[in-house]
Coordinates of all heavy atoms in Angstrom, one line a residue:
Chain A
K243 N -28.3 200.9 -96.7 CA -27.8 201.8 -95.7 C -26.4 202.2 -95.9 O -25.9 203.3 -95.9 CB -28.2 201.3 -94.3 CG -29.7 201.3 -94.0 CD -30.0 200.7 -92.6 CE -31.5 200.9 -92.4 NZ -31.9 200.3 -91.1
G244 N -25.6 201.0 -96.0 CA -24.1 201.2 -96.2 C -23.8 202.0 -97.3 O -23.1 203.0 -97.3
Q245 N -24.4 201.6 -98.5 CA -24.1 202.3 -99.7 C -24.6 203.8 -99.8 O -23.9 204.6 -100.3 CB -24.6 201.5 -100.9 CG -23.8 200.1 -101.1 CD -23.7 199.8 -102.6 OE1 -23.1 200.6 -103.4 NE2 -24.1 198.7 -103.0
S246 N -25.8 204.0 -99.3 CA -26.4 205.3 -99.4 C -25.6 206.2 -98.5 O -25.4 207.5 -98.7 CB -27.8 205.3 -99.2 OG -28.2 204.8 -97.9
F247 N -25.2 205.7 -97.3 CA -24.5 206.5 -96.3 C -23.1 207.1 -96.8 O -22.7 208.2 -96.4 CB -24.3 205.8 -95.0 CG -23.8 206.5 -93.9 CD1 -24.5 207.5 -93.2 CD2 -22.4 206.3 -93.4 CE1 -24.0 208.3 -92.2 CE2 -22.0 207.1 -92.4 CZ -22.7 208.1 -91.8
M248 N -22.5 206.3 -97.8 CA -21.2 206.8 -98.3 C -21.5 208.2 -98.9 O -20.5 209.0 -98.9 CB -20.7 205.7 -99.4 CG -20.5 204.4 -98.9 SD -20.0 203.3 -100.3 CE -21.1 203.7 -101.7
H249 N -22.6 208.5 -99.5 CA -22.9 209.7 -100.2 C -23.0 210.8 -99.1 O -22.6 211.9 -99.5 CB -24.2 209.6 -100.9 CG -24.0 208.8 -102.3 ND1 -23.6 209.4 -103.4 CD2 -24.1 207.5 -102.5 CE1 -23.5 208.5 -104.4 NE2 -23.8 207.2 -103.8
A250 N -23.5 210.5 -97.9 CA -23.5 211.6 -96.9 C -22.2 212.0 -96.5 O -21.9 213.2 -96.3 CB -24.3 211.1 -95.7
K251 N -21.3 211.0 -96.5 CA -19.9 211.4 -96.0 C -19.0 211.9 -97.1 O -18.2 212.8 -96.8 CB -19.3 209.9 -95.5 CG -19.9 209.4 -94.2 CD -19.9 210.4 -93.0 CE -21.3 211.1 -92.8 NZ -21.3 211.9 -91.6
A252 N -19.3 211.5 -98.4 CA -18.6 212.1 -99.4 C -19.0 213.6 -99.5 O -18.1 214.5 -99.8 CB -18.9 211.4 -100.8
F253 N -20.2 213.8 -99.4 CA -20.8 215.2 -99.3 C -20.2 216.0 -98.2 O -19.8 217.1 -98.4 CB -22.4 215.2 -99.2 CG -23.1 216.3 -99.0 CD1 -23.1 217.4 -100.0 CD2 -23.8 216.6 -97.8 CE1 -23.7 218.6 -99.9 CE2 -24.5 217.8 -97.6 CZ -24.5 218.8 -98.7
E254 N -20.1 215.4 -97.0 CA -19.7 216.1 -95.9 C -18.1 216.6 -96.2 O -17.8 217.6 -95.9 CB -19.5 215.2 -94.7 CG -18.9 215.6 -93.5 CD -18.7 214.5 -92.4 OE1 -19.6 213.9 -92.0 OE2 -17.5 214.2 -92.0
Y255 N -17.3 215.6 -96.9 CA -16.0 216.0 -97.2 C -15.9 217.1 -98.1 O -15.1 218.1 -97.9 CB -15.2 214.8 -97.8 CG -14.0 215.2 -98.6 CD1 -12.9 215.6 -97.9 CD2 -14.0 215.2 -100.0 CE1 -11.8 216.0 -98.6 CE2 -12.9 215.6 -100.6 CZ -11.8 216.1 -100.0 OH -10.7 216.5 -100.7
L256 N -16.8 217.2 -99.1 CA -16.8 218.2 -100.1 C -17.1 219.6 -99.5 O -16.5 220.6 -99.8 CB -17.7 217.9 -101.3 CG -17.2 216.8 -102.2 CD1 -18.3 216.3 -103.2 CD2 -16.0 217.3 -103.1
V257 N -18.1 219.5 -98.6 CA -18.5 220.8 -97.9 C -17.4 221.2 -97.0 O -17.0 222.4 -97.0 CB -19.8 220.5 -97.1 CG1 -20.1 221.8 -96.2 CG2 -21.0 220.2 -98.1
Q258 N -16.9 220.4 -96.1 CA -15.8 220.7 -95.2 C -14.5 221.2 -95.8 O -13.9 222.2 -95.4 CB -15.4 219.4 -94.4 CG -16.5 218.9 -93.5 CD -16.8 219.9 -92.4 OE1 -16.0 220.5 -91.8 NE2 -18.1 219.9 -92.0
S259 N -14.2 220.6 -97.0 CA -13.0 221.0 -97.7 C -13.2 222.2 -98.7 O -12.2 222.6 -99.2 CB -12.5 219.8 -98.6 OG -13.4 219.5 -99.6
G260 N -14.5 222.6 -98.7 CA -14.8 223.8 -99.7 C -14.6 223.4 -101.1 O -14.5 224.3 -102.0
K261 N -14.7 222.1 -101.5 CA -14.5 221.8 -102.9 C -15.7 221.4 -103.7 O -15.6 220.8 -104.7 CB -13.5 220.6 -102.9 CG -12.1 221.0 -102.4 CD -11.1 220.1 -102.7 CE -9.6 220.7 -102.5 NZ -8.6 219.8 -102.7
L262 N -16.9 221.7 -103.2 CA -18.1 221.3 -103.7 C -18.4 222.2 -104.9 O -18.5 223.3 -104.8 CB -19.4 221.3 -102.7 CG -20.6 220.8 -103.2 CD1 -20.6 219.4 -103.6 CD2 -21.7 221.0 -102.1
R263 N -18.5 221.6 -106.1 CA -18.7 222.4 -107.3 C -20.1 222.1 -108.0 O -20.2 222.5 -109.1 CB -17.5 222.1 -108.4 CG -16.1 222.4 -107.8 CD -15.1 221.9 -108.6 NE -15.1 222.4 -110.1 CZ -14.4 221.8 -111.0 NH1 -13.6 220.8 -110.7 NH2 -14.5 222.3 -112.2
C264 N -20.8 221.2 -107.3 CA -22.2 221.0 -107.9 C -23.2 221.3 -106.8 O -22.9 221.3 -105.6 CB -22.3 219.5 -108.2 SG -21.2 218.9 -109.4
N265 N -24.4 221.6 -107.3 CA -25.5 221.6 -106.3 C -25.9 220.2 -106.0 O -25.7 219.4 -106.8 CB -26.8 222.3 -106.9 CG -26.4 223.7 -107.2 OD1 -25.9 224.5 -106.5 ND2 -26.8 224.1 -108.5
V266 N -26.2 219.9 -104.8 CA -26.5 218.5 -104.3 C -27.8 218.4 -103.8 O -28.2 219.3 -102.9 CB -25.5 218.0 -103.3 CG1 -25.7 216.5 -103.0 CG2 -24.0 218.2 -103.9
K267 N -28.6 217.5 -104.1 CA -29.9 217.1 -103.5 C -29.9 215.7 -103.1 O -29.3 214.8 -103.8 CB -31.0 217.4 -104.5 CG -31.2 218.9 -105.0 CD -32.2 219.1 -106.0 CE -32.3 220.7 -106.3 NZ -33.5 220.8 -107.3
F268 N -30.5 215.5 -102.0 CA -30.6 214.1 -101.5 C -32.2 213.6 -101.5 O -33.0 214.4 -100.9 CB -30.1 213.9 -100.1 CG -28.6 213.7 -100.0 CD1 -27.7 214.9 -99.9 CD2 -28.0 212.5 -100.0 CE1 -26.4 214.8 -99.9 CE2 -26.6 212.3 -99.9 CZ -25.8 213.5 -99.8
L269 N -32.4 212.5 -101.9 CA -33.8 212.0 -101.8 C -33.6 210.5 -101.3 O -33.2 209.6 -102.0 CB -34.5 211.9 -103.1 CG -35.9 211.3 -103.1 CD1 -36.8 212.1 -102.3 CD2 -36.4 211.2 -104.6
I270 N -33.9 210.3 -100.0 CA -33.8 209.1 -99.4 C -35.1 208.5 -99.1 O -35.9 209.0 -98.2 CB -32.9 209.1 -98.2 CG1 -31.6 209.9 -98.4 CG2 -32.6 207.6 -97.7 CD1 -30.6 209.2 -99.4
E271 N -35.5 207.3 -99.7 CA -36.9 206.9 -99.5 C -36.9 205.7 -98.6 O -36.0 205.1 -98.3 CB -37.6 206.6 -100.9 CG -37.0 205.3 -101.6 CD -38.0 204.6 -102.2 OE1 -39.3 204.5 -101.8 OE2 -37.8 204.0 -103.4
G272 N -38.2 205.3 -98.3 CA -38.4 204.1 -97.3 C -39.3 203.0 -97.8 O -39.8 202.2 -97.1
E273 N -39.4 202.9 -99.2 CA -40.2 201.9 -99.7 C -39.5 201.1 -101.0 O -40.2 200.5 -101.8 CB -41.6 202.4 -100.1 CG -42.4 203.0 -98.9 CD -43.7 203.4 -99.2 OE1 -43.9 204.0 -100.3 OE2 -44.6 203.1 -98.4
E274 N -38.3 201.2 -101.0 CA -37.6 200.6 -102.2 C -37.8 199.0 -102.2 O -38.1 198.5 -103.3 CB -36.1 200.9 -102.3 CG -35.5 200.7 -103.7 CD -34.9 199.3 -103.8 OE1 -34.8 198.6 -102.8 OE2 -34.6 199.0 -105.0
E275 N -37.7 198.5 -101.1 CA -37.7 197.0 -101.0 C -39.2 196.5 -101.3 O -39.4 195.3 -101.4 CB -37.2 196.5 -99.7 CG -35.7 196.8 -99.5 CD -34.8 196.2 -100.4 OE1 -35.2 195.5 -101.4 OE2 -33.5 196.1 -100.2
I276 N -40.1 197.4 -101.3 CA -41.5 196.9 -101.6 C -41.9 197.6 -103.0 O -43.1 197.6 -103.3 CB -42.5 197.2 -100.5 CG1 -42.5 198.7 -100.2 CG2 -42.2 196.4 -99.3 CD1 -43.7 199.1 -99.2
G277 N -41.0 198.0 -103.8 CA -41.2 198.5 -105.1 C -41.5 200.0 -105.2 O -42.1 200.4 -106.2
S278 N -41.2 200.8 -104.2 CA -41.4 202.2 -104.3 C -42.9 202.6 -104.8 O -43.0 203.4 -105.7 CB -40.4 202.8 -105.3 OG -39.1 202.5 -104.8
P279 N -43.8 202.1 -104.1 CA -45.2 202.4 -104.7 C -45.7 203.8 -104.6 O -46.5 204.1 -105.4 CB -46.1 201.4 -103.8 CG -45.3 201.3 -102.5 CD -43.9 201.2 -102.9
N280 N -45.1 204.6 -103.7 CA -45.6 205.9 -103.6 C -44.7 207.0 -104.1 O -45.0 208.2 -104.1 CB -45.9 206.2 -102.1 CG -47.1 205.3 -101.6 OD1 -48.2 205.3 -102.1 ND2 -46.7 204.4 -100.7
L281 N -43.4 206.6 -104.4 CA -42.4 207.6 -104.8 C -42.7 208.3 -106.2 O -42.5 209.6 -106.3 CB -41.1 207.0 -104.8 CG -39.9 208.1 -104.6 CD1 -40.1 208.9 -103.4 CD2 -38.6 207.4 -104.7
P282 N -43.3 207.6 -107.2 CA -43.5 208.3 -108.4 C -44.5 209.5 -108.3 O -44.2 210.5 -108.8 CB -44.2 207.2 -109.3 CG -43.6 205.9 -108.8 CD -43.4 206.1 -107.2
K283 N -45.5 209.2 -107.4 CA -46.5 210.3 -107.2 C -45.9 211.4 -106.4 O -46.0 212.6 -106.7 CB -47.7 209.8 -106.2 CG -48.8 210.8 -106.2 CD -50.0 210.0 -105.4 CE -51.0 211.2 -104.9 NZ -52.0 210.5 -103.9
F284 N -44.9 211.2 -105.5 CA -44.2 212.2 -104.8 C -43.4 213.0 -105.7 O -43.3 214.2 -105.7 CB -43.3 211.5 -103.7 CG -42.5 212.5 -102.9 CD1 -42.9 213.2 -101.8 CD2 -41.2 212.7 -103.4 CE1 -42.2 214.1 -101.1 CE2 -40.4 213.7 -102.7 CZ -40.9 214.3 -101.6
C285 N -42.7 212.2 -106.7 CA -41.9 213.0 -107.7 C -42.7 213.8 -108.6 O -42.3 215.0 -109.0 CB -41.1 211.9 -108.5 SG -39.8 211.0 -107.5
K286 N -43.9 213.4 -109.0 CA -44.7 214.2 -109.8 C -45.2 215.5 -109.2 O -45.1 216.6 -109.8 CB -46.0 213.4 -110.2 CG -45.8 212.4 -111.4 CD -47.0 211.6 -111.7 CE -46.6 210.4 -112.5 NZ -47.5 209.2 -112.3
K287 N -45.4 215.4 -107.9 CA -45.8 216.5 -107.1 C -44.6 217.5 -106.8 O -44.9 218.7 -106.6 CB -46.3 216.0 -105.7 CG -47.8 215.9 -105.5 CD -48.1 215.3 -104.1 CE -49.3 215.9 -103.4 NZ -49.6 215.3 -102.1
N288 N -43.5 217.0 -106.8 CA -42.2 217.8 -106.3 C -41.3 217.9 -107.5 O -40.1 218.0 -107.1 CB -41.7 217.1 -105.1 CG -42.6 217.2 -103.9 OD1 -42.7 218.2 -103.2 ND2 -43.3 216.1 -103.6
K289 N -41.8 218.0 -108.6 CA -40.9 218.1 -109.8 C -39.8 219.2 -109.7 O -38.7 219.0 -110.0 CB -41.7 218.3 -111.1 CG -41.9 217.0 -111.9 CD -42.7 217.4 -113.2 CE -42.6 216.2 -114.1 NZ -43.5 216.6 -115.3
K290 N -40.3 220.4 -109.3 CA -39.3 221.5 -109.2 C -38.3 221.3 -108.2 O -37.1 221.5 -108.3 CB -40.2 222.7 -108.8 CG -40.5 223.7 -110.0 CD -41.0 225.0 -109.5 CE -41.4 225.9 -110.7 NZ -42.3 227.0 -110.3
L291 N -38.7 220.8 -107.0 CA -37.8 220.5 -105.8 C -36.7 219.6 -106.3 O -35.6 219.7 -105.9 CB -38.6 219.9 -104.7 CG -37.8 219.7 -103.4 CD1 -37.6 221.1 -102.7 CD2 -38.7 218.8 -102.5
L292 N -37.1 218.6 -107.1 CA -36.2 217.5 -107.5 C -35.5 217.7 -108.7 O -34.7 216.9 -109.3 CB -36.9 216.1 -107.5 CG -37.8 215.7 -106.3 CD1 -38.6 214.5 -106.6 CD2 -36.8 215.5 -105.1
K293 N -35.7 218.9 -109.4 CA -35.0 219.3 -110.7 C -33.5 219.0 -110.5 O -32.8 219.4 -109.6 CB -35.3 220.7 -111.0 CG -34.9 221.1 -112.5 CD -35.3 222.5 -112.7 CE -35.0 223.0 -114.1 NZ -34.0 222.4 -114.9
T294 N -32.9 218.3 -111.5 CA -31.5 217.9 -111.4 C -31.1 217.6 -112.9 O -31.8 217.4 -113.8 CB -31.4 216.7 -110.5 OG1 -30.0 216.3 -110.4 CG2 -32.1 215.4 -111.1
D295 N -29.7 217.5 -112.9 CA -29.1 217.2 -114.2 C -28.9 215.6 -114.3 O -28.8 215.0 -115.4 CB -27.8 217.9 -114.4 CG -28.0 219.4 -114.5 OD1 -28.7 219.8 -115.4 OD2 -27.6 220.1 -113.6
V296 N -28.6 215.0 -113.1 CA -28.4 213.6 -113.1 C -28.8 213.1 -111.8 O -28.8 213.8 -110.7 CB -26.9 213.2 -113.4 CG1 -26.0 213.6 -112.3 CG2 -26.8 211.8 -113.8
I297 N -29.1 211.7 -111.8 CA -29.4 211.1 -110.5 C -28.3 210.2 -110.2 O -27.8 209.4 -111.1 CB -30.8 210.4 -110.4 CG1 -31.9 211.5 -110.6 CG2 -31.0 209.5 -109.2 CD1 -33.3 210.9 -110.9
L298 N -27.8 210.2 -109.0 CA -26.6 209.4 -108.7 C -27.1 208.3 -107.5 O -27.7 208.7 -106.6 CB -25.6 210.2 -108.0 CG -24.2 209.6 -107.8 CD1 -23.6 209.1 -109.1 CD2 -23.2 210.7 -107.3
V299 N -26.8 207.1 -107.9 CA -27.3 206.0 -107.0 C -26.2 204.9 -106.7 O -25.6 204.5 -107.6 CB -28.5 205.2 -107.6 CG1 -29.1 204.2 -106.7 CG2 -29.6 206.2 -108.2
S300 N -26.1 204.6 -105.4 CA -25.2 203.4 -105.0 C -26.1 202.4 -104.4 O -26.4 202.5 -103.3 CB -24.1 203.9 -104.0 OG -23.2 204.7 -104.7
D301 N -26.6 201.4 -105.2 CA -27.5 200.4 -104.8 C -27.2 199.2 -105.6 O -28.2 198.3 -105.7 CB -28.9 200.9 -104.8 CG -29.9 200.0 -104.0 OD1 -29.4 199.2 -103.1 OD2 -31.1 200.1 -104.2
T302 N -26.1 199.0 -106.2 CA -25.7 197.9 -107.1 C -24.3 197.4 -106.7 O -23.7 197.9 -105.7 CB -25.7 198.3 -108.5 OG1 -24.9 199.5 -108.6 CG2 -27.2 198.6 -109.1
S303 N -23.9 196.4 -107.4 CA -22.6 195.7 -107.1 C -21.6 195.9 -108.2 O -21.9 196.3 -109.3 CB -22.8 194.2 -107.0 OG -23.6 194.0 -105.9
M304 N -20.3 195.6 -108.0 CA -19.3 195.6 -108.9 C -18.9 194.1 -109.0 O -19.2 193.3 -108.2 CB -18.0 196.4 -108.5 CG -18.0 197.4 -107.3 SD -16.6 198.4 -107.3 CE -15.3 197.2 -107.2
I305 N -18.1 193.8 -110.1 CA -17.9 192.4 -110.4 C -17.0 191.8 -109.2 O -17.2 190.8 -108.7 CB -17.1 192.3 -111.7 CG1 -18.1 192.6 -112.9 CG2 -16.6 190.9 -111.9 CD1 -17.4 192.8 -114.2
A306 N -15.9 192.6 -108.8 CA -15.0 192.1 -107.8 C -14.3 193.3 -107.2 O -14.3 194.3 -107.8 CB -14.0 191.0 -108.3
P307 N -13.7 193.1 -105.9 CA -12.9 194.3 -105.4 C -11.8 194.8 -106.4 O -11.6 196.0 -106.4 CB -12.3 193.7 -104.2 CG -13.0 192.5 -103.8 CD -13.6 192.0 -105.1
D308 N -11.3 193.9 -107.2 CA -10.2 194.4 -108.1 C -10.7 194.5 -109.5 O -10.0 194.6 -110.5 CB -9.0 193.4 -108.1 CG -9.4 192.0 -108.3 OD1 -10.6 191.7 -108.4 OD2 -8.5 191.2 -108.5
V309 N -12.1 194.4 -109.8 CA -12.7 194.5 -111.1 C -13.9 195.4 -111.0 O -15.0 195.1 -110.8 CB -13.2 193.2 -111.6 CG1 -13.5 193.3 -113.1 CG2 -12.0 192.1 -111.6
P310 N -13.5 196.8 -111.0 CA -14.7 197.7 -110.9 C -15.6 197.7 -112.1 O -15.2 197.3 -113.2 CB -14.0 199.1 -110.9 CG -12.7 198.8 -111.5 CD -12.3 197.4 -111.2
S311 N -16.9 197.9 -111.8 CA -17.8 197.8 -112.9 C -19.0 198.8 -112.6 O -19.2 199.2 -111.3 CB -18.4 196.5 -113.1 OG -19.0 196.0 -112.0

Side-chain angles (χ1 to χ4, degrees):
Chain A
K243 287 176 175 176
Q245 290 217 55
S246 58
F247 186 71
M248 300 179 314
H249 287 270
K251 297 299 102 177
F253 171 64
E254 175 190 302
Y255 160 73
L256 288 168
V257 174
Q258 293 295 323
S259 64
K261 294 195 166 170
L262 184 60
R263 293 167 63 194
C264 300
N265 300 312
V266 185
K267 296 178 175 182
F268 278 88
L269 176 66
I270 311 296
E271 73 142 324
E273 297 185 323
E274 196 272 346
E275 297 293 9
I276 54 170
S278 306
N280 298 297
L281 201 59
K283 189 175 166 191
F284 178 88
C285 291
K286 280 175 200 156
K287 261 179 142 176
N288 293 281
K289 263 182 159 174
K290 261 194 187 164
L291 185 73
L292 303 174
K293 193 174 176 343
T294 183
D295 295 299
V296 72
I297 294 170
L298 191 58
V299 185
S300 293
D301 195 18
T302 49
S303 296
M304 344 194 304
I305 292 171
D308 58 347
V309 187
S311 61

